[in-house]
Amino acid sequence: MASILRCRKLRYVEPVKCSTLGLESLETLKSSDKAEGGASAVVVNTINRSLPGKRRRRPTNDWRYIDWYCWMVGYLCTTWWLLLLLSHFLSGFQAPESPGSKLKREGLKALHPVVLVPGIVIGGLELWEGRPCADGLFRKRLWSSSFTENFRRPLCWLEHLSLDSVTGLDPPGIRVRPVTGLAAADYFAPGYFLWTTLIENLAKVGYEGKNLHMATYDWRLSFQNTEVRDQSLSRLKSKIELMFVINGYRKVVVVPHSMGSLYFLHFLKWVEAPAPMGGGGGPGWCAKHIKAIMNIGPLFLGVPKAVSNILSSEAKDIAFARTMAPVVLDSNFPGLQTLEHIMQVSRTWDSMMSLIPKGGETIWGDLDWSPEEEYNCDSEWKKNLKASSRDQSHKTNISDGQLGFRVKESVKFGRIISFGKMASKLPSSELRTFDFKDLSCGGASTKSNSSCGEVWTEYDELSRESIKEVAENKVYTATTILDLLYFVAPKMMRRANAHFSHGVAENLDDPKYSHYKYWSNPLETKLPDAPAMEIYCLYGVGIPTERSYVYKLLPSDQCRHIPFRIDSSTGGNNGRCLRSGIYFVDGDESVPVLSAGFMCAKGWQGRNRFNPFGISTYIREYRNKPPTILFEGRGLESSSHVDIMGNVALIEDIMRVAAGANGVELGGNRIFSDIIKMSERINLRL
Amino acid sequence: MSMLRRRKASEIEQTSNLGDRKEIESKFDGNEKEKEKEKVKKKKKKWSCINSCCWFIGCICSIWWFLLFLYNAMPASIPQYVTEAITGPLPDPPGVKLQKEGLRAKHPVVFVPGIVTGGLELWEGHQCADGLFRKRLWGGTFGEVYKRPLCWVEHMSLDNETGLDPPGIRVRPVPGLVAADYFAPGYFVWAVLIANLARIGYEEKTMYMASYDWRLSFQNTEVRDQTLSRIKSNIELMVATNGGKKVVVIPHSMGVLYFLHFMKWVESPAPMGGGGGSDWCAKHIKAVMNIGGPFLGAPKAVSGLFSSEARDIAVARAIAPGVLDKDVFGFQTLQHVMRMTRTWDSTMSMIPKGGDTIWGTLDWSPEEGYNCGPKKQRSNDTQVPDHNNTESLDCQVKSVNYGRIISFGKDVAKAHSSKIERIDFRGAVKGNSLANMTCHDVWIEYHDMGWGGIKAVADYKVYTAGSILDLLHFVAPKMMKRGGAQFSYGIADNLDDPKYKHYKYWSNPLETKLPYAPDMEIYSMYGVGIPTERAYVYKLNPAAECCIPFQIDTSAEDENAGSCLKGGVFSVDGDETVPVLSAGFMCAKAWRGKTRFNPSGIRTFIREYDHAPPANLLEGRGTQSGAHVDIMGNFALIEDIIRVAAGATGEELGGDQVYSDIFKWSEKINLQL
């Protein structure tokens, strides 16, 4: 305190010079201002200590830096507080009426209990048992909320989040468990809402703990393993039964989001299957307990994003990318190997495999054909110029001046991964065919050197030659992508194979389809016998969404373990569908329309072999409208994959159904995209 | 600011010192110059005032950030190092110790929190509670109490008629383990136990916190929230998913009564009960390990209801005791608190049960031989100043009449029963004279009573456990009418009487039979060695205009220091809140062996934990504490619980472990078994 006083005094002696000279130093200090407060405070202290010597030479100058620094900080803080205060008062006037209070005035009351099923990466995880490095974190969140721990001890954090790479369950000595209750996924990080808006609005019409439940599960595990390890499915079943009873025998409305829709599909089959493998609820269980399933942003047929994710850990899910600083993630800091670490961790998560595109070439298109082929990127692109300009990842050179340029040949979306831009455009006859059986996986150990830290990825086991072979001008469709993944990540796929399947069933009555690995694939299961049940597909449209990738082979590098990378240099005039190595189609930023809407639009429409009892399906699309002003936060009419949970139209739909309305009363289908046309092009036997 | 002013003054002084007699003329010039200078300075000063403010804030911020950074950079284990350096190595927590012994999670565990320890959150509120949606109103930091106290009181109160939600307000219990692991930041309740159980392999799927809205009467938690159904379903689920292993239930404080209610509810047929059938408990419950259970109520509840004084420890700690105790600034804190707590039905579950038979008559009480002096001295010498033995002997001779739970005046508390003149208050007319407008908007039922009623109450002089009920009926008719439908405080003559099928008897152990579950075990675990409130000396509040007309007479103190009377309160052995008699009697006598209260002969065990205050400040709330809430961090208790959860029986624990005179006192109680 004494030094402060002294400091104050000196500054006072020469105020005039201070104001003129200080301004120059102000600029330099501004930058350090924003940096860690502690670090700059250290500077202050060191200057304080070295003071007497310097004072003799230039008596006043050094003091001014500190003074101006403090002044700046104080000034910024004060204005910040003032603004905060102002916005606190202003926000009261600005908020439009929430759908909850609107519907409450209409007289809606809580009727059907509601079950929320969160998606991947959204639910919180907490530590129950850990290694010594995680001391003091007992029952603290490792995933979601503030993520402070991953900055403080990143390696420890990664170690605790990964699973055993052989069993896909806990590694020995580590127990990380999902957070239970509504708190598990209401906010992902402070201020980044997920379910909060929906919960708040539901509460307005009378929902509370007894008729609102969050079905949390460990999203890293494969679906069946959540039952094996945590009995999550049994708990969900018991919870639904309980809510059904205590709310006067009213059926529940289930609201799954993202991967939750696959999880709940799995649950539907599990609960009716006989006891050792399933829940033993009997064939009438769903009909008795479930009124409607309102899938938000469902990815019934998987997402292409998952492929690039597994292959090279790039283009991770939106929430993931937002959490980790994108700069750290994308650039290859020497020695940090962030991507390698993430790959190593995320490859132990079985649930990732549930997101690989399903249905193969029938759904996703082959070398020359794809259901979206007539999709016109220009119009969508123009429409969403505004939307995507705020998005860093879509930053392209808009000033190309060829907005109206129309290509004759359409984009070959079916080639989900192509190595080199040329390969993505060549006619199929010029492409080399390729058989993975030719490749030998051996002879790889030459690469294992110790100088690169101890990050180990499965790529190290592959020989350089075979990697080259994989990459040379090759194109992979939704079917061959599985072979590719088998090749580059054999361990992971071996585990996955026991839990997930990605094909199309020929004969659904085949007894093999009673195995649980087929339960989360809508193309290999029948919907349950529940004719009164309704299935909704609620998703956003109007945002460019990743559909296929142009890859490149990286030059051999000892310390770079991932040999492939998205070729972000490609882009340009191909009808704007290709930007920085990624072909875009319509969707909600994560899930293409095809994956979200096809099952409701065609695969389950009417009475067919996937839907033998004629459960009615409805499609509700929500067009994206980015927030107009800053005050609106993430937008009341946004339709991107996560932000859609704050979309007022969607919330209103859900609340109406929860209060007893059916799909027809909502207004039936509401479609903006070409989903019907696309679905018609898909030649799937129904 | 004072700094600035001082500096200015010194400058002027300096200039005046410079002034020389010889140059008066020039001094004038100089003065003018100085004036100009001062003008400039003033300008500068204006500028620098705001600036120095900014500067100051900036300094503070930077230092704060720096410290924060240091704090964050500090490894988490430093506090432990410091502690160990001072006190020597700490003993292993019981979880680690037993894990080394090879114990593993076996039976699922159910926690039943007590009154005031569970968190409550807002689901729907009035205008004034905007922005508090799903924020904790109770538990956590209690920030709202200070920010908008009246709004908070309004939202915490229940409807005075129904005992349910007031219109437009929905406050609901927090679900999950977070509901009661910490009461306030740093003030653990269940957290230590949970952490130790986790060491041997427990996790969320094998641990369940049966949180309920502790403000409601027990049956109303089912009516409003279906809490009992949810507990039943959760227990069934845990038994099913853990390979048919029965659960170990651990109720604490009022949770003990709640679970007693649950056991009757679950076996009763469907409309009123849970319809589980008569063998539900036998199939699903291995042991009930009651921690500090007020089976027969607590005298504290009486004073709480009567005058809102000496409420449960947790409340007193949360709400600043200074504000609560004194009537400062006309805030009428006590009146607000009283109005709020009187809408809570659950407080009535803790009124002493069993009447004079259990708690003693005017001249007799089971604890009558109890010697407060040496016991206190041994266990807690900080509270009692040293005194010589002769006085405590003196005290022993004149035994205290604990049976008189409330007496008006110290003399009355001691006089022989034949010497007390009593005027029956029951017929007294309630006047209206007290309803004056000066009392602001706080309304309490005392205002309806009138001076005549209050006088009549005071004239009756002495109240025993039996007549206490009449007293409460008299002073708080509305509350007791609600309470009468939910709770009962008597002793059953014939337990087979069909009227005992009503839910209001279910939480009274003296009016219910234990379920048919011969393999089940009931433990009574409680702390001893702390003076505990047992009877009160009251006085009429002289300034009875707006205040609560009765007050504990804190001046009533015995001259001989070894006495049990301290500050108007007679104390006995207990855990600071619940007397030993209430916590131990059922397991010591009424349920021991095959009795009419325990027809299937469920085994009972008493485990007492002698209180030892924390040796130093670093130990926090102590690992050997016996206090009502702090006992949840008692290592011996945690070890017992873990052993039972891992499969041990009561005999393997070592059977009874008794330090107090509970068996002797139980003998004295003449209850037909």
Side-chain angles (χ1 to χ4, degrees):
Chain A
M1 212 53 210
S3 68
I4 295 171
L5 291 179
R6 242 186 298 146
C7 162
R8 208 16 230 91
K9 199 167 160 189
L10 272 163
R11 199 204 144 284
Y12 197 80
V13 172
E14 299 234 342
V16 191
K17 270 186 192 170
C18 195
S19 61
T20 50
L21 287 173
L23 272 172
E24 292 154 20
S25 62
L26 196 144
E27 295 300 316
T28 53
L29 280 164
K30 225 174 198 172
S31 54
S32 69
D33 205 353
K34 282 176 185 122
E36 188 80 67
S40 26
V42 176
V43 176
V44 176
N45 280 7
T46 48
I47 292 173
N48 272 355
R49 253 178 268 125
S50 61
L51 176 93
K54 281 190 180 173
R55 206 210 250 164
R56 244 174 284 132
R57 269 175 280 129
R58 289 188 297 162
T60 49
N61 234 0
D62 290 323
W63 280 111
R64 244 173 265 131
Y65 285 111
I66 308 158
D67 280 341
W68 274 100
Y69 165 73
C70 286
W71 182 84
M72 268 311 294
V73 172
Y75 189 73
L76 286 177
C77 281
T78 325
T79 32
W80 175 247
W81 288 333
L82 274 175
L83 282 176
L84 218 66
L85 206 74
L86 218 66
S87 72
H88 188 74
F89 284 118
L90 280 179
S91 59
F93 301 107
Q94 295 228 345
E97 195 180 26
S98 65
S101 24
K102 187 182 130 200
L103 294 175
K104 191 186 177 188
R105 256 193 294 111
E106 276 184 28
L108 259 69
K109 281 271 169 308
L111 190 69
H112 296 278
V114 172
V115 175
L116 311 172
V117 187
I120 194 167
V121 308
I122 274 173
L125 300 173
E126 58 187 14
L127 184 76
W128 279 85
E129 186 183 334
R131 301 265 153 81
C133 72
D135 252 1
L137 292 183
F138 176 68
R139 283 187 62 219
K140 296 274 188 314
R141 287 200 183 191
L142 289 187
W143 189 266
S144 135
S145 86
S146 62
F147 282 99
T148 41
E149 286 311 318
N150 77 10
F151 296 116
R152 244 205 265 175
R153 21 191 159 175
L155 285 181
C156 180
W157 182 73
L158 285 173
E159 184 190 349
H160 283 82
L161 271 182
S162 29
L163 296 168
D164 192 286
S165 66
V166 177
T167 60
L169 295 170
D170 287 327
I174 292 177
R175 280 186 295 150
V176 173
R177 295 286 178 266
V179 180
T180 55
L182 289 175
D186 52 354
Y187 285 95
F188 179 62
Y192 187 73
F193 70 81
L194 293 168
W195 294 94
T196 321
T197 329
L198 182 59
I199 293 170
E200 239 173 63
N201 282 300
L202 284 172
K204 289 235 170 75
V205 298
Y207 280 93
E208 59 194 45
K210 69 172 173 182
N211 46 17
L212 189 60
H213 174 65
M214 178 86 73
T216 55
Y217 56 97
D218 190 336
W219 46 263
R220 301 171 303 159
L221 299 182
S222 77
F223 302 153
Q224 191 67 14
N225 272 346
T226 62
E227 170 67 13
V228 170
R229 198 193 70 179
D230 296 338
Q231 283 84 41
S232 297
L233 295 170
S234 302
R235 290 160 103 187
L236 180 56
K237 174 174 173 247
S238 136
K239 198 80 201 182
I240 290 180
E241 284 167 354
L242 172 70
M243 294 206 333
F244 175 68
V245 172
I246 65 178
N247 287 291
Y249 299 95
R250 298 237 162 69
K251 299 184 205 171
V252 300
V253 171
V254 185
V255 187
H257 172 241
S258 184
M259 192 179 81
S261 56
L262 296 177
Y263 188 72
F264 199 73
L265 210 60
H266 187 94
F267 173 78
L268 284 183
K269 294 302 289 181
W270 173 87
V271 76
E272 300 207 332
M277 201 193 275
W285 196 92
C286 295
K288 191 180 161 199
H289 292 97
I290 299 175
K291 171 187 155 59
I293 304 172
M294 310 196 71
N295 303 291
I296 303 176
L299 21 76
F300 287 120
L301 303 177
V303 277
K305 221 175 187 177
V307 175
S308 70
N309 216 335
I310 294 170
L311 201 61
S312 65
S313 280
E314 286 174 293
K316 297 237 23 124
D317 203 353
I318 175 162
F320 197 40
R322 280 199 198 182
T323 324
M324 309 245 186
V327 187
V328 180
L329 205 141
D330 291 346
S331 67
N332 207 340
F333 269 137
L336 267 183
Q337 303 182 302
T338 323
L339 277 185
E340 280 81 356
H341 276 296
I342 290 172
M343 166 173 272
Q344 205 193 9
V345 171
S346 65
R347 278 204 181 169
T348 63
W349 296 345
D350 284 349
S351 61
M352 298 291 286
M353 257 77 67
S354 70
L355 308 179
I356 295 173
K358 288 164 190 168
E361 294 179 2
T362 323
I363 302 287
W364 294 93
D366 56 19
L367 290 179
D368 291 322
W369 167 89
S370 74
E372 290 111 328
E373 56 190 350
E374 275 166 36
Y375 174 67
N376 182 0
C377 305
D378 277 344
S379 54
E380 289 297 325
W381 175 231
K382 244 185 266 170
K383 220 183 286 165
N384 292 292
L385 258 180
K386 213 171 153 195
S388 43
S389 60
R390 78 193 159 107
D391 203 325
Q392 288 286 328
S393 63
H394 300 154
K395 197 167 57 187
T396 48
N397 36 355
I398 306 157
S399 56
D400 257 357
Q402 293 178 321
L403 275 171
F405 182 73
R406 183 74 35 101
V407 242
K408 265 142 209 135
E409 51 157 352
S410 61
V411 184
K412 296 183 171 65
F413 287 117
R415 305 174 179 184
I416 290 186
I417 284 187
S418 30
F419 281 92
K421 190 179 165 191
M422 283 310 292
S424 71
K425 292 186 179 170
L426 281 175
S428 58
S429 51
E430 288 171 37
L431 288 167
R432 284 170 55 199
T433 51
F434 175 71
D435 193 1
F436 279 99
K437 279 153 203 144
D438 298 347
L439 285 171
S440 56
C441 291
S445 50
T446 49
K447 266 197 75 185
S448 61
N449 50 2
S450 51
S451 63
C452 287
E454 47 268 47
V455 192
W456 174 90
T457 62
E458 282 181 294
Y459 283 117
D460 292 346
E461 284 189 352
L462 301 177
S463 66
R464 187 73 197 168
E465 290 70 38
S466 52
I467 288 173
K468 245 184 211 143
E469 194 71 11
V470 165
E472 245 169 47
N473 239 23
K474 294 300 187 322
V475 169
Y476 299 92
T477 64
T479 308
T480 48
I481 208 83
L482 287 174
D483 299 326
L484 173 67
L485 291 177
Y486 260 114
F487 181 72
V488 299
K491 262 198 193 161
M492 180 188 76
M493 290 306 282
R494 215 177 305 133
R495 262 186 297 128
N497 215 21
H499 289 289
F500 299 106
S501 165
H502 302 97
V504 179
E506 281 306 313
N507 174 18
L508 278 167
D509 294 324
D510 192 329
K512 80 167 182 176
Y513 287 116
S514 58
H515 191 267
Y516 61 79
K517 76 183 219 181
Y518 300 103
W519 287 347
S520 61
N521 182 355
L523 299 173
E524 290 177 310
T525 48
K526 291 187 232 177
L527 286 182
D529 177 8
M533 203 167 91
E534 293 173 325
I535 295 181
Y536 294 81
C537 290
L538 316 158
Y539 54 89
V541 295
I543 305 181
T545 306
E546 297 159 53
R547 175 66 167 81
S548 54
Y549 301 89
V550 178
Y551 263 83
K552 69 177 175 196
L553 186 66
L554 290 178
S556 180
D557 182 343
Q558 286 199 325
C559 287
R560 199 184 280 144
H561 294 259
I562 302 174
F564 310 117
R565 156 129 4 139
I566 293 175
D567 187 2
S568 49
S569 64
T570 58
N573 51 16
N574 195 358
R576 300 243 159 259
C577 285
L578 176 66
R579 290 195 307 275
S580 58
I582 300 171
Y583 286 99
F584 288 96
V585 291
D586 200 4
D588 71 355
E589 209 171 0
S590 288
V591 184
V593 168
L594 185 71
S595 173
F598 174 73
M599 288 318 288
C600 287
K602 190 175 176 190
W604 288 332
Q605 186 70 39
R607 206 178 270 254
N608 58 36
R609 67 186 182 116
F610 298 113
N611 181 7
F613 301 98
I615 295 172
S616 39
T617 59
Y618 300 96
I619 292 181
R620 308 280 295 172
E621 293 186 346
Y622 303 91
R623 215 203 287 269
N624 186 39
K625 197 169 143 203
T628 43
I629 45 170
L630 207 72
F631 271 115
E632 240 177 77
R634 284 156 64 208
L636 301 168
E637 288 168 78
S638 169
S639 72
S640 70
H641 193 58
V642 175
D643 293 353
I644 199 172
M645 315 258 271
N647 187 311
V648 281
L650 175 119
I651 289 174
E652 198 181 316
D653 282 353
I654 291 176
M655 289 178 68
R656 282 191 193 281
V657 172
N662 59 31
V664 181
E665 286 163 21
L666 275 193
N669 287 350
R670 183 173 104 153
I671 296 175
F672 300 109
S673 68
D674 297 335
I675 179 68
I676 302 288
K677 244 195 287 172
M678 284 185 222
S679 310
E680 258 157 35
R681 280 194 216 114
I682 291 173
N683 182 24
L684 180 73
R685 189 169 61 82
L686 294 174
Chain B
M1 277 321 283
S2 63
M3 225 163 56
L4 296 182
R5 236 175 288 139
R6 216 183 304 139
R7 189 168 299 116
K8 189 177 150 195
S10 66
E11 267 169 309
I12 290 166
E13 257 177 36
Q14 273 180 359
T15 49
S16 59
N17 283 344
L18 282 173
D20 212 338
R21 273 204 157 183
K22 284 171 189 172
E23 295 170 337
I24 298 171
E25 313 283 290
S26 62
K27 197 192 170 189
F28 263 104
D29 286 344
N31 265 355
E32 263 171 37
K33 264 181 204 168
E34 236 155 57
K35 264 178 196 168
E36 265 174 40
K37 254 190 201 170
E38 220 143 87
K39 259 185 196 169
V40 176
K41 230 172 232 175
K42 247 183 196 170
K43 251 187 197 171
K44 274 180 242 151
K45 204 160 291 159
K46 241 185 189 174
W47 177 86
S48 62
C49 181
I50 300 164
N51 279 3
S52 49
C53 260
C54 287
W55 178 88
F56 188 68
I57 291 170
C59 243
I60 299 280
C61 280
S62 313
I63 292 166
W64 176 246
W65 286 336
F66 179 63
L67 289 179
L68 213 68
F69 173 76
L70 278 185
Y71 176 76
N72 273 314
M74 179 184 78
S77 46
I78 278 193
Q80 203 193 332
Y81 283 135
V82 173
T83 322
E84 280 189 13
I86 295 173
T87 60
L90 292 174
D92 262 353
V96 178
K97 186 181 133 201
L98 295 175
Q99 189 204 13
K100 283 179 195 153
E101 279 184 26
L103 263 65
R104 288 290 170 275
K106 190 172 172 198
H107 296 277
V109 170
V110 178
F111 306 117
V112 187
I115 196 167
V116 308
T117 47
L120 299 173
E121 58 187 14
L122 184 76
W123 279 82
E124 187 183 335
H126 288 163
Q127 199 76 39
C128 68
D130 255 0
L132 292 182
F133 176 69
R134 285 188 56 222
K135 297 272 188 312
R136 284 198 182 195
L137 288 187
W138 190 269
T141 55
F142 281 96
E144 294 309 319
V145 185
Y146 300 108
K147 261 193 248 165
R148 22 192 158 175
L150 285 182
C151 182
W152 182 81
V153 166
E154 184 190 346
H155 281 82
M156 285 299 297
S157 306
L158 294 169
D159 192 285
N160 212 5
E161 301 285 332
T162 59
L164 294 170
D165 288 327
I169 292 177
R170 282 185 294 148
V171 174
R172 295 288 178 267
V174 178
L177 290 178
V178 286
D181 53 351
Y182 286 93
F183 177 65
Y187 188 75
F188 70 83
V189 181
W190 294 91
V192 179
L193 183 58
I194 292 172
N196 280 296
L197 282 170
R199 294 273 185 180
I200 64 162
Y202 279 94
E203 55 193 69
E204 201 100 37
K205 68 173 173 182
T206 42
M207 277 196 275
Y208 168 59
M209 178 78 75
S211 59
Y212 56 97
D213 190 336
W214 45 262
R215 301 172 304 159
L216 300 182
S217 75
F218 303 154
Q219 191 68 11
N220 274 343
T221 61
E222 170 67 11
V223 170
R224 197 192 71 181
D225 298 338
Q226 281 80 40
T227 310
L228 295 171
S229 303
R230 289 156 92 179
I231 295 173
K232 175 176 173 244
S233 146
N234 259 307
I235 291 179
E236 283 167 356
L237 172 70
M238 290 211 298
V239 171
T241 54
N242 287 290
K245 297 202 186 75
K246 298 184 211 171
V247 297
V248 172
V249 185
I250 307 173
H252 172 237
S253 184
M254 192 181 80
V256 168
L257 300 175
Y258 191 72
F259 197 74
L260 214 56
H261 187 94
F262 172 81
M263 285 198 289
K264 291 303 286 182
W265 174 87
V266 78
E267 301 201 333
S268 303
M272 200 193 276
S278 59
D279 57 347
W280 194 93
C281 291
K283 268 196 279 185
H284 292 95
I285 301 175
K286 170 186 153 61
V288 184
M289 309 191 75
N290 305 294
I291 303 176
F295 283 108
L296 302 176
K300 218 176 189 175
V302 174
S303 72
L305 287 170
F306 192 53
S307 64
S308 279
E309 288 172 292
R311 282 214 51 78
D312 204 352
I313 175 163
V315 185
R317 281 202 199 179
I319 303 176
V323 180
L324 205 143
D325 291 347
K326 298 275 172 290
D327 200 44
V328 271
F329 315 125
F331 273 147
Q332 303 181 300
T333 324
L334 274 187
Q335 284 89 321
H336 278 295
V337 170
M338 168 173 269
R339 199 165 62 129
M340 180 172 77
T341 51
R342 281 208 178 167
T343 65
W344 296 346
D345 285 350
S346 61
T347 49
M348 280 173 284
S349 69
M350 306 217 279
I351 295 173
K353 288 165 191 167
D356 294 355
T357 319
I358 303 287
W359 295 93
T361 59
L362 287 179
D363 291 321
W364 167 89
S365 73
E367 292 110 326
E368 54 192 350
Y370 178 64
N371 182 3
C372 305
K375 183 96 187 163
K376 267 198 225 163
Q377 200 177 24
R378 179 170 62 85
S379 60
N380 201 345
D381 33 16
T382 50
Q383 279 204 2
V384 183
D386 42 328
H387 41 260
N388 33 16
N389 286 332
T390 50
E391 275 168 345
S392 58
L393 272 174
D394 195 29
C395 171
Q396 221 168 352
V397 176
K398 273 196 291 176
S399 84
V400 186
N401 296 316
Y402 285 118
R404 309 172 183 183
I405 291 185
I406 287 183
S407 31
F408 280 90
K410 186 179 138 195
D411 307 332
V412 178
K414 300 214 166 149
H416 193 265
S417 61
S418 54
K419 289 175 195 157
I420 305 171
E421 288 172 38
R422 303 206 294 178
I423 304 163
D424 203 351
F425 64 95
R426 293 175 182 91
V429 191
K430 294 184 183 180
N432 223 7
S433 61
L434 266 184
N436 52 4
M437 288 306 110
T438 55
C439 289
H440 306 286
D441 39 5
V442 191
W443 176 91
I444 49 176
E445 281 180 296
Y446 282 123
H447 296 172
D448 270 0
M449 250 172 72
W451 187 245
I454 291 168
K455 197 94 175 89
V457 165
D459 281 345
Y460 193 62
K461 297 274 190 333
V462 177
Y463 298 88
T464 61
S467 50
I468 268 293
L469 287 174
D470 298 324
L471 171 67
L472 289 175
H473 266 294
F474 185 74
V475 299
K478 268 199 188 158
M479 179 188 76
M480 291 306 284
K481 210 194 299 155
R482 270 184 292 124
Q486 303 288 353
F487 301 106
S488 168
Y489 311 100
I491 298 178
D493 284 324
N494 175 16
L495 278 166
D496 295 324
D497 193 330
K499 81 167 181 176
Y500 288 116
K501 289 202 163 51
H502 192 270
Y503 61 79
K504 77 180 209 181
Y505 300 105
W506 289 346
S507 60
N508 182 355
L510 298 173
E511 290 178 309
T512 48
K513 290 187 230 176
L514 286 181
Y516 182 79
D519 293 335
M520 205 168 94
E521 290 173 330
I522 295 182
Y523 294 81
S524 222
M525 319 167 86
Y526 53 89
V528 293
I530 308 181
T532 306
E533 297 160 52
R534 174 68 169 82
Y536 300 90
V537 177
Y538 265 86
K539 65 172 179 198
L540 271 180
N541 194 343
E545 286 287 292
C546 300
C547 308
I548 299 164
F550 308 108
Q551 255 184 357
I552 292 178
D553 186 4
T554 43
S555 64
E557 203 135 344
D558 252 343
E559 296 77 30
N560 43 7
S563 85
C564 298
L565 179 62
K566 275 255 174 278
V569 179
F570 289 100
S571 43
V572 290
D573 202 4
D575 68 356
E576 207 171 2
T577 303
V578 182
V580 168
L581 186 70
S582 174
F585 173 70
M586 289 315 288
C587 284
K589 187 171 177 197
W591 285 337
R592 190 81 7 147
K594 249 188 228 241
T595 66
R596 64 185 183 115
F597 299 110
N598 181 8
S600 60
I602 296 172
R603 273 155 305 145
T604 60
F605 300 95
I606 291 183
R607 307 283 294 171
E608 291 185 350
Y609 303 92
D610 205 5
H611 176 75
N616 53 41
L617 211 70
L618 282 168
E619 229 179 85
R621 284 155 65 205
T623 54
Q624 298 167 41
S625 174
H628 193 57
V629 176
D630 294 351
I631 199 175
M632 310 282 283
N634 187 312
F635 278 5
L637 174 121
I638 292 173
E639 195 180 320
D640 283 353
I641 290 177
I642 292 179
R643 283 191 192 282
V644 171
T649 63
E651 281 85 15
E652 285 163 25
L653 279 192
D656 290 335
Q657 168 184 304
V658 178
Y659 299 103
S660 69
D661 299 331
I662 178 67
F663 284 117
K664 210 168 73 191
W665 293 339
S666 303
E667 282 304 304
K668 286 192 207 148
I669 293 174
N670 182 23
L671 181 72
Q672 181 218 331
L673 292 175

